[in-house]
Amino acid sequence: EKLDPLHWNYLLVYFLAILADWLQGTNMYTLYQGYGVSVAQLFLSGFLSSAVFGTFVGTWVDTFGRRRGCLLYCFLEVVIQILEHVPNFYVLLFGRILGGISTSLLFCSFESWLNSSH
């Protein structure tokens, strides 16, 4: 079965979003280690944030809009990248908490937007 333009657009945008998420993950360990902060605490805070916020981010996306969820994901990724260049543990911790939220948005907003548009 042939893919329609909506699916091709989705695949392109989703691939770029996933790529951005993957690329930041490979760089964070070295960056945090260079700052001399606890890498384990920062990584754990990101995972815990995703677990906590992931329980209701999907409901938020359904309530306020899937497109808004995707746009919020993109905005959070920009903010997170800016925060990662501040060598302060608490700023980095806040960035990881936002990272958990953005990861939850990444894995629920894009697919639900495609499903509701199809």
Side-chain angles (χ1 to χ4, degrees), residues 56-67 69 105 108-109 112:
F56 59 85
V57 163
T59 304
W60 181 87
V61 167
D62 287 339
T63 303
F64 294 103
R66 292 154 179 106
R67 180 176 180 267
L105 284 167
C108 75
S109 297
S112 61

Side-chain angles (χ1 to χ4, degrees), residues 21-31 43:
D21 188 59
W22 287 341
L23 288 176
Q24 80 169 347
T26 59
N27 188 39
M28 282 190 310
Y29 182 84
T30 306
L31 187 65
F43 269 85

Side-chain angles (χ1 to χ4, degrees), residues 91-112:
V91 173
L92 295 171
L93 181 64
F94 179 65
R96 291 314 314 139
I97 292 169
L98 292 179
I101 296 169
S102 73
T103 299
S104 298
L105 284 167
L106 174 63
F107 291 111
C108 75
S109 297
F110 288 89
E111 287 185 37
S112 61

Side-chain angles (χ1 to χ4, degrees), residues 19-83:
L19 183 65
D21 188 59
W22 287 341
L23 288 176
Q24 80 169 347
T26 59
N27 188 39
M28 282 190 310
Y29 182 84
T30 306
L31 187 65
Y32 294 160
Q33 197 173 31
Y35 290 155
V37 297
S38 173
V39 177
Q41 286 179 334
L42 290 173
F43 269 85
L44 183 60
S45 66
F47 293 134
L48 288 175
S49 172
S50 185
V52 169
F53 289 105
T55 59
F56 59 85
V57 163
T59 304
W60 181 87
V61 167
D62 287 339
T63 303
F64 294 103
R66 292 154 179 106
R67 180 176 180 267
R68 286 185 180 155
C70 295
L71 292 173
L72 180 59
Y73 165 78
C74 295
F75 174 77
L76 286 177
E77 284 300 316
V78 170
V79 170
I80 291 163
Q81 295 308 313
I82 292 169
L83 293 177

